């Protein structure tokens, strides 16, 4: 959720510097639909970002530990997985709170979308893929931690209700981004599988309609294998 350091966005509207480039990603336009915010909401989020900034490391660790408690079997033996995830969480929170302090919601939403897409696209192994329910659970855990800590640190602040309401709305929009990213990546995988299947079906059809050399067949099969296993090995 790293946010770009640019001038504040009046009323959360996208300017030319922060708006996603046209065609940069098929689902980047989701960001443009999330940017109707009042000045009071932006001010409340900026205040929340300032209040929680000293708590980034602690919240990152609590996020990792709480998420591990919800996962069947946890993270496995040793503290390394928790430490690694705590560092990533702290980095995400630091970028998020920076974006809130600078009122850069366009940059926050775009960075969130980019991170979710990169995470999902990096999960090549079926056993390692995050189900949508797990992604939403992670967002829920983070949201509860942020709201709880805000209540503790801002008790007695007359702006606390607006701060909580604004962040709750922000969390709902993060959920929309997560769902859009999940749909986009899984759709890409289905289309790729269909394309590879079509290639496999086309090979015997071509072999039945024209004479093919052994080298030609191996070259075609090599291309299909490379697509399936994502490697650059050669059969010939």
């Amino acid at each position: 959720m790293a946010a770009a350091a640019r001038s504040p966005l009046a009323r959360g509207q996208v300017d030319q510097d922060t708006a996603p480039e046209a065609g940069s990603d098929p689902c980047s336009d989701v960001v443009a639909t999330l940017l109707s915010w009042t000045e009071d909401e932006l001010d409340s989020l900026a205040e929340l970002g300032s209040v929680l900034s000293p708590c980034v490391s602690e919240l990152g660790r609590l996020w990792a530990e709480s998420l591990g408690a919800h996962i069947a079997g946890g993270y496995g033996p040793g503290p390394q997985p928790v430490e690694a995830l705590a560092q990533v969480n702290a980095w995400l929170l630091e970028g998020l709170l920076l974006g809130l302090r600078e009122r850069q919601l366009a940059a926050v939403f775009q960075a969130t979308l980019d991170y979710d897409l990169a995470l999902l696209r990096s999960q090549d192994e079926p056993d390692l893929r995050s189900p949508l329910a797990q992604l939403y659970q992670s967002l829920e855990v983070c949201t509860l931690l942020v709201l709880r800590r805000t209540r503790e640190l801002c008790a007695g602040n007359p702006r606390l209700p607006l701060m909580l309401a604004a962040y709750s709305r922000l969390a709902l929009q993060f959920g929309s981004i997560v769902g859009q990213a999940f749909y986009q990546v899984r759709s890409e995988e289905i289309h790729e599988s269909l394309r590879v299947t079509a290639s496999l079906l086309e090979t015997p059809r071509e072999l039945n309609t024209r004479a093919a050399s052994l080298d030609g067949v191996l070259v075609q099969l090599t291309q299909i294998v490379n697509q399936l296993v994502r490697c650059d090995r050669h059969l010939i």
Side-chain angles (χ1 to χ4, degrees), residues 42-63:
L42 294 176
D43 290 342
S44 297
L45 290 174
E47 185 175 355
L48 181 147
S50 298
V51 168
L52 295 185
S53 290
C55 309
V56 162
S57 296
E58 182 185 359
L59 290 175
R61 172 172 291 279
L62 290 173
W63 185 3

Side-chain angles (χ1 to χ4, degrees), residues 19-185:
E21 295 182 3
S24 59
D25 195 281
C27 59
S28 289
D29 57 349
V30 70
V31 172
T33 67
L34 305 177
L35 294 172
S36 177
W37 291 75
T38 67
E39 290 291 345
D40 282 344
E41 288 175 318
L42 294 176
D43 290 342
S44 297
L45 290 174
E47 185 175 355
L48 181 147
S50 298
V51 168
L52 295 185
S53 290
C55 309
V56 162
S57 296
E58 182 185 359
L59 290 175
R61 172 172 291 279
L62 290 173
W63 185 3
E65 293 174 349
S66 299
L67 188 59
H70 287 83
I71 297 176
Y75 296 119
Q80 290 82 0
V82 176
E83 292 289 344
L85 185 57
Q87 292 180 8
V88 172
N89 290 345
W91 171 75
L92 291 173
L93 287 170
E94 183 178 7
L96 167 63
L97 297 179
L98 173 62
L100 298 184
R101 292 197 304 272
E102 298 186 347
R103 302 158 61 94
Q104 295 288 339
L105 291 191
V108 167
F109 289 142
Q110 186 62 49
T112 300
L113 176 61
D114 292 342
Y115 175 82
D116 290 341
L117 288 172
L119 172 66
L120 292 166
R121 286 169 176 160
S122 69
Q123 298 173 339
D124 294 333
E125 297 295 331
D127 293 342
L128 299 179
R129 291 176 181 171
S130 300
L132 184 58
Q134 189 179 89
L135 298 175
Y136 280 134
Q137 188 173 60
S138 177
L139 175 60
E140 181 182 5
V141 169
C142 177
T143 302
L144 290 175
L145 289 171
V146 168
L147 294 177
R148 183 183 305 155
R149 185 55 56 90
T150 302
R151 290 191 189 96
E152 294 172 355
L153 297 178
C154 298
N157 187 333
R159 293 180 57 81
L160 176 60
L162 185 55
M163 293 166 64
L164 298 177
Y167 192 85
S168 296
R169 180 188 173 195
L170 188 73
L172 289 174
Q173 296 187 338
F174 284 153
S176 175
I177 292 175
V178 168
Q180 184 69 24
F182 186 89
Y183 171 80
Q184 175 65 28
V185 173

Side-chain angles (χ1 to χ4, degrees), residues 202-221:
E202 185 67 24
T203 298
R205 185 180 300 114
E206 291 186 4
L207 293 178
N208 289 331
T209 56
R210 62 180 176 83
S213 66
L214 176 60
D215 287 347
V217 173
L218 289 177
V219 167
Q220 191 167 20
L221 291 177

